[in-house]
Amino acid sequence: MGEDRRLRAVVGLAQGMAAAHTPRESWRAAALGACHALAGSFAALSVWERELGRLRVLVNVGERTEGEDEFPDGEAYPVHQFPEITEFLHERWAGGGGPNAWVETADGPAGSRAGYCHQRVAALRRRGRGCCVVAPIVLHGRAWGELYVARPAGAPDFDAADADFATVLASVVAAGIAQTERLEEARRLAFTDALTGLANRRAVDVRLDEAVERHKGDGVVVSLVVCDLNGLKRVNDTRGHAVGDRLLERFGSVLSLCGAMLPGTLAARLGGDEFCLLAVGPAADEVVRIADELCRRAAELELGEGVACGVASTEDPIGPVRSARRLFRLADAAQYRAKAVRAAKPVVAGREGPDDPVVRLADAPSPTEGERRRFRGRHEPRP
C-alpha cells in the first residue's frame, strides 16, 4: 500500500472514531477502519480485563464465522492462552522497546516467539484464515487491549511493513478510545445527580421525550412515578444538612432498588427532595405495584417521614398523551394530591372515574388561586 493511501486510511479511521456517538460505534469504526487500512477480511477489537484475567471481544467486523457476533455478549479468552498480551509486552517495554504489532500465520510459529502463539494459530486454522496481525493498544501507559486483523487462507501474508503500519493504527485507535472515554465521562456527569448517583432532571427530560415519541408511534406504555421525600426540611433544620444528605442518599438507594424491579426503568433525582421513576414498556399495574413498594420501603427509613408518590401512565384513562410535559404534569398532580391528603400509598392519575381530580388539576389552564405551588414545565424551576 502506498504512503498516500496509508495516510488516507489513518485519517479515515480517526474521522470514523471521532464521528461515533457511543462507545460501540467507536469500537466498530476502529475495527472497520483498521480492516480496510490493512486490506484484511476480518477485524476484532478486544479489551484486557485485568480483574477477570481475560481478553473480552468488544466487536467483530468483516467476514465473521460461526460464533463471531458483531457485538458479542460473552466472547472472552483467558489471558494465559495469549501470554504475549502480558509477558511479552512487558518484557519488551522493560528492555526499552515499544508495543509493536506482530504477525501470525496458519503455518505455525516462527522466529524466537514459539510457544506464545499456538492458540492464535489454532484459531486461524479453525476459522479458515491464513494470517493475522496483532497490535497492542496502549492507553495511559498501560496495555488496554488489542487490535486484530486477519486475511483469508490463500491471501498474501502480512509482512513486517504491515506490522509496523498496524502499530500506527493501534496508536490512532488508542487516541480515539481515550477521546470516547472522555466524552462518556462528560456525558455521565451531565446526566447524573452528584449526590445520589442517580440520573438527573436533564436525563429524565431526554428519556421522557424519546419514550413519548415511541408511545405516539408504536403505542408503547410509558409511566412516570414522581415522589416527594417527606420530612427533609425537618431533618436539615434539626440535625444538619449532612444528615439530610444521608437521607437523600438512602432514599436514592431505595428508589434504585425498586426501579430495578422494572426492566429498563430510569431512576432519577429531579432536584431537592423530589425523585422519579420512568418506566417504558411495563404495564401500568406493575408500575403502581412498584410505586407501592417504594412507599412501603421509604416509610421504613430511619430518617424522614416517608414519601408522597404520584403515578401517571399512558395505559390509564388520562386522555391522549401527545407531549412529555403533559405526562409529567399528570404525575406531578398525582404526587401533589398524595401529599395534600397524606396518602401512604401512591395516587394514580385517571383512576378516580371520568371526573378524576388529578387529571382535572393537571389539565387546568392555570393554577387556581388557592394552590400552594405551580406545576413545573420542562424548564420551569420549582419555587
Side-chain angles (χ1 to χ4, degrees), residues 17 30 64 192 201 245 331:
M17 294 190 72
R64 307 194 304 270
T192 302
R201 177 62 189 265
D245 285 350

Side-chain angles (χ1 to χ4, degrees), residues 21-65:
H21 296 292
T22 66
R24 275 193 168 196
E25 290 179 4
S26 178
W27 303 335
R28 188 173 187 274
L32 283 173
C35 192
H36 171 73
L38 287 162
S41 60
F42 170 84
L45 185 68
S46 303
V47 63
W48 178 14
E49 296 181 328
R50 283 176 170 78
E51 70 281 7
L52 299 176
R54 67 182 189 179
L55 278 171
R56 179 169 64 88
V57 179
L58 300 173
V59 63
N60 293 308
V61 300
E63 298 174 6
R64 307 194 304 270
T65 61

Side-chain angles (χ1 to χ4, degrees), residues 32-373:
L32 283 173
C35 192
H36 171 73
L38 287 162
S41 60
F42 170 84
L45 185 68
S46 303
V47 63
W48 178 14
E49 296 181 328
R50 283 176 170 78
E51 70 281 7
L52 299 176
R54 67 182 189 179
L55 278 171
R56 179 169 64 88
V57 179
L58 300 173
V59 63
N60 293 308
V61 300
E63 298 174 6
R64 307 194 304 270
T65 61
E66 184 178 356
E68 292 178 327
D69 297 329
E70 183 175 25
F71 294 106
D73 289 330
E75 187 181 353
Y77 304 94
V79 170
H80 69 77
Q81 293 183 359
F82 303 96
E84 68 273 13
I85 194 65
T86 55
E87 299 170 12
F88 178 68
L89 293 179
H90 291 175
E91 288 170 6
R92 289 286 300 275
W93 290 341
N100 296 329
W102 65 89
V103 174
E104 308 284 5
T105 72
D107 293 333
S112 61
R113 290 188 44 249
Y116 276 113
C117 55
H118 64 283
Q119 293 288 345
R120 296 191 191 277
V121 171
L124 286 171
R125 293 171 179 170
R126 185 170 64 252
R127 291 166 176 161
R129 294 169 184 147
C131 64
C132 68
V133 59
V134 184
I137 296 172
V138 179
L139 201 61
H140 311 308
R142 302 177 68 189
W144 180 90
E146 67 174 37
L147 177 67
Y148 175 100
V149 181
R151 288 175 179 168
D157 287 346
F158 290 113
D159 57 23
D162 291 320
D164 289 342
F165 186 40
T167 301
V168 173
L169 294 174
S171 67
V172 175
V173 169
I177 290 170
Q179 176 67 11
T180 299
E181 288 184 351
R182 286 192 292 269
L183 290 174
E184 281 297 297
E185 178 64 10
R187 186 177 292 115
R188 185 190 67 80
L189 293 174
F191 290 94
T192 302
D193 176 64
L195 177 65
T196 64
L198 300 174
N200 61 15
R201 177 62 189 265
R202 184 182 291 109
V204 174
D205 285 343
V206 172
R207 185 78 66 87
L208 186 55
D209 277 338
E210 295 171 349
V212 169
E213 288 304 309
R214 286 184 60 193
H215 168 70
K216 291 193 294 184
D218 304 326
V220 66
V221 176
V222 181
S223 304
L224 192 63
V225 179
V226 173
C227 47
D228 193 285
L229 184 58
N230 297 327
L232 179 64
K233 185 177 185 304
R234 177 189 59 78
V235 172
N236 284 335
D237 290 346
T238 61
R239 304 185 64 175
H241 286 271
V243 178
D245 285 350
R246 286 208 303 273
L247 172 59
L248 290 168
E249 290 175 309
R250 288 176 183 176
F251 179 70
S253 297
V254 170
L255 185 77
S256 178
L257 175 67
C258 291
M261 299 176 187
L262 294 169
T265 293
L266 180 72
R269 181 187 178 203
L270 300 174
D273 57 2
E274 197 146 334
F275 295 76
C276 83
L277 292 174
L278 172 57
V280 182
D285 285 345
E286 274 298 292
V287 176
V288 173
R289 183 180 67 81
I290 295 304
D292 189 56
E293 176 72 7
L294 176 63
C295 290
R296 185 186 68 79
R297 288 176 179 264
E300 294 175 354
L301 289 175
E302 180 184 353
L303 302 170
E305 301 166 7
V307 292
C309 185
V311 182
S313 175
T314 59
E315 198 174 45
D316 282 322
I318 57 176
V321 176
R322 298 189 177 91
S323 69
R325 176 170 177 167
R326 181 163 190 268
L327 191 65
F328 202 104
R329 285 174 63 90
L330 285 159
D332 214 26
Q335 185 266 121
Y336 176 59
R337 181 169 172 79
K339 197 171 192 70
V341 301
R342 300 181 180 275
K345 291 180 173 291
V347 170
V348 185
R351 295 197 174 185
E352 294 189 37
D355 194 30
D356 185 276
V358 171
V359 176
R360 185 159 33 86
L361 180 61
D363 290 342
S366 61
T368 61
E369 187 175 342
E371 286 181 21
R372 295 184 294 119
R373 64 181 279 192

